[in-house]
Amino acid sequence: ARAELMKMEKMQIVSQMAASISHEIRNPLTVVKGFIQLLQTGRLPRETEERYIRIALEELERAEAIIRDYLTFAKPAPKETEPIDVATQLQKVLQMITPMAHMHSIHVSSSLEHGVVIGNAQYFQQCFLNLLKNSIEAMPNGGTLHVAAENRGTSVVITISDNGVGMTKEQVRRFGEPYFSTKEKGTGLGAMVAVKIIEQMGGTWTIESTVQKGTTLTITLPASRVRPPTAEQSAVG
Ligand code: ADP
Ligand code: MG
């Protein structure tokens, strides 16, 4: 019964995600449609046409950014949970963000202990991609990004530290609130998606931040007693 309940909760989260994505994307698409219909009349002054095209392109970029914050790894497959090794998954995300980091003169370092948590690998990666991207974006003039995973037996603690712009108390309080963004082209959805995924895994998070000094995010996830797929089957027989 408990497993069934958990399965129901999972499905609910999946359909909630799908509902919010289509809701989020409808707005920019409606704007694009409207401006294209205006352009279709063909009787607009050249400057107006150029302005409408610029707005339509900006709105399409926004739709793209929203999809990135939600669905970078989405596959048309059911969102099953499974034992996942945090070091392996974080390594994958680090590999993805390293080119972006180097482009911004950011040094990336990591210290990753193995530890198994129950989750969905796709969501896990989306969560940490969003968080690491925020850290990189917080260091426009370069800096250091450090990611650590520590296995504490019953929990796995992941820390993400940057020495970027930092956050005020008010900003820390609003972290994860939908549409809260301090960026010109921000969606304000990346942190919300990350927080939801952490909560879905039964985890908690805290933020320590100082303006102009940097931010450390600490994410604590319950460890699974299931062994990782590689270290299996030695006690049997
Ligand atoms: P977006 O990145 O599109 O602005 P997010 O939901 O990802 O939206 O983040 C919300 C806000 O939280 C950001 O606009 C920023 O103000 C703040 N934030 C998140 N992570 C950091 C960080 N590492 N350093 C400073 N500010 C951050
Ligand atoms: Mg973001």
Side-chain angles (χ1 to χ4, degrees):
R2 191 175 141 69
E4 260 167 48
L5 185 71
M6 276 175 59
K7 192 162 180 195
M8 257 173 58
E9 277 170 5
K10 260 179 257 157
M11 301 218 342
Q12 221 171 29
I13 288 159
V14 173
S15 61
Q16 263 172 23
M17 283 265 238
S20 35
I21 300 157
S22 56
H23 171 81
E24 297 303 339
I25 292 175
R26 197 165 293 136
N27 286 333
L29 290 187
T30 304
V31 176
V32 170
K33 192 176 172 186
F35 279 103
I36 287 179
Q37 280 167 343
L38 289 171
L39 287 164
Q40 211 179 18
T41 63
R43 273 186 261 131
L44 299 168
R46 187 82 198 112
E47 308 88 78
T48 312
E49 276 188 1
E50 276 166 10
R51 189 155 50 89
Y52 287 2
I53 291 170
R54 202 174 54 241
I55 296 170
L57 286 174
E58 275 172 14
E59 289 298 309
L60 286 177
E61 268 172 33
R62 184 174 158 74
E64 253 180 357
I66 292 166
I67 292 171
R68 260 199 306 277
D69 280 349
Y70 277 103
L71 294 170
T72 304
F73 304 99
K75 295 186 211 123
K79 303 288 186 287
E80 295 295 333
T81 58
E82 59 198 344
I84 52 182
D85 176 51
V86 296
T88 308
Q89 298 301 326
L90 288 171
Q91 196 59 56
K92 284 188 189 173
V93 181
L94 282 167
Q95 235 163 44
M96 271 181 281
I97 57 109
T98 297
M100 196 209 298
H102 287 169
M103 231 156 48
H104 294 92
S105 311
I106 293 164
H107 175 71
V108 181
S109 69
S110 63
S111 140
L112 305 175
E113 289 179 5
H114 289 279
V116 177
V117 299
I118 300 292
N120 172 274
Q122 214 169 280
Y123 282 172
F124 186 96
Q125 289 177 22
Q126 180 77 66
C127 171
F128 286 93
L129 181 69
N130 291 0
L131 298 176
L132 293 182
K133 249 174 49 190
N134 279 344
S135 289
I136 291 172
E137 286 163 2
M139 298 185 280
N141 303 315
T144 301
L145 170 63
H146 185 69
V147 181
E150 196 191 328
N151 189 334
R152 295 198 185 158
T154 56
S155 64
V156 177
V157 179
I158 300 163
T159 52
I160 301 171
S161 304
D162 65 60
N163 48 10
V165 294
M167 301 165 82
T168 64
K169 275 209 176 73
E170 166 78 359
Q171 286 167 356
V172 170
R173 195 179 59 72
R174 296 187 64 185
F175 182 88
E177 180 184 304
Y179 311 113
F180 166 64
S181 177
T182 55
K183 297 168 197 171
E184 203 193 328
K185 289 200 169 174
T187 63
L189 296 170
M192 181 204 72
V193 166
V195 161
K196 281 210 170 132
I197 293 168
I198 292 165
E199 286 171 357
Q200 191 189 352
M201 289 191 285
T204 58
W205 50 276
T206 59
I207 300 175
E208 249 178 89
S209 190
T210 309
V211 174
Q212 296 309 326
K213 284 259 160 64
T215 304
T216 297
L217 234 86
T218 306
I219 295 122
T220 305
L221 300 171
S224 163
R225 270 168 297 168
V226 177
R227 266 174 260 176
T230 44
E232 198 90 282
Q233 316 243 312
S234 50
V236 191

